[in-house]
Amino acid sequence: MSELNQRALRHWVSPIVLAAALCALQLVTSWPGELIADSREQLHQAMTRNYTDWHPPIMALVWSWLLRLSGRPGSLLVLHQLLHWLGFGLIADGCLRANMRREAWLILLAGAFPVFVFYDRIVLKDVGMASALVAGAGISIWFVVQHKAVPLWALLLFALCITYGALIRTNAVFA
C-alpha cells in the first residue's frame, strides 16, 4: 500500500469517525433508553415544566428543551451519548495527533467499556454527569495534549459541559 493510501486510510479511520460510529451503534441498540423511577419523575417535570428540587432541575430543564425540539423522551439519551462519545473521541484524537497512537486507541476502547455500555442506556442523572464531565475533559485535553492554546470558544464549551455535569448531580463538584 502506498504511503498516500496509508495516510488516507489513517485519516478516514480516525478516532472521531470511530467514536461517531460507536455512538450510533450504542444509540441504535439502546433507543429510546431505559427510564427508572427517578427518570420518569424528571420526564414528568420536563413535560409539565413544573420543577422541584428533589431531582436536579437542570436535567428536567434541558430535557424540556429537547422535548420541544424533538418531541421524543429519548432525546436526552441522545445528548448524553453524544457527550460521552465526543469526550472519548476528542481525547483519543488529540492523543493520535500528538503521536500517542496506542494510547489513542486504548482510550477510545475505554469508552466502550462494558460498565459504560450498560449504564449509558439508562436516562439518568449519573450518566448525564459522567458524560458531561468526559466531554468537558475531551474538549480541553484535545488542545492540551497537542500543546496548543485553548481558544475561547473551546473554554466556553468546556465550561458549559462542566457546569451541566456539576449541576446535574449534587455531589458532582467532588468529581
Side-chain angles (χ1 to χ4, degrees):
M1 189 179 268
S2 74
E3 184 179 330
L4 182 60
N5 288 340
Q6 286 177 348
R7 266 191 276 148
L9 182 63
R10 269 187 296 214
H11 180 70
W12 184 82
V13 184
S14 75
I16 298 292
V17 171
L18 192 52
L22 289 169
C23 181
L25 177 65
Q26 196 165 356
L27 282 169
V28 164
T29 59
S30 62
W31 179 261
E34 185 178 328
L35 299 178
I36 62 171
D38 283 353
S39 309
R40 286 191 296 273
E41 172 60 29
Q42 288 191 280
L43 176 58
H44 175 73
Q45 290 179 29
M47 291 168 53
T48 62
R49 297 185 193 138
N50 183 16
Y51 309 113
T52 68
D53 62 356
W54 183 252
H55 297 289
I58 189 71
M59 183 171 159
L61 181 63
V62 169
W63 210 346
S64 73
W65 294 336
L66 293 171
L67 283 169
R68 278 186 252 157
L69 289 173
S70 72
R72 299 186 178 270
S75 57
L76 193 59
L77 174 78
V78 172
L79 175 65
H80 290 168
Q81 289 300 307
L82 288 173
L83 290 171
H84 174 92
W85 286 108
L86 174 70
F88 278 102
L90 286 173
I91 294 169
D93 188 66
C95 286
L96 190 65
R97 291 171 186 262
N99 244 357
M100 298 186 291
R101 286 175 173 65
R102 193 179 92 191
E103 292 87 347
W105 298 113
L106 288 174
I107 287 167
L108 193 59
L109 186 61
F113 189 67
V115 172
F116 292 146
V117 172
F118 176 79
Y119 280 107
D120 283 356
R121 76 186 200 300
I122 304 169
V123 181
L124 188 63
K125 57 190 165 204
D126 301 286
V127 172
M129 177 192 72
S131 298
L133 296 178
V134 166
I139 291 165
S140 61
I141 289 171
W142 190 88
F143 292 97
V144 172
V145 76
Q146 296 177 73
H147 305 288
K148 293 182 175 184
V150 183
L152 180 60
W153 65 266
L155 286 173
L156 293 173
L157 284 176
F158 166 81
L160 182 64
C161 288
I162 299 302
T163 300
Y164 179 68
L167 290 175
I168 199 167
R169 189 80 179 126
T170 55
N171 61 356
V173 292
F174 299 109

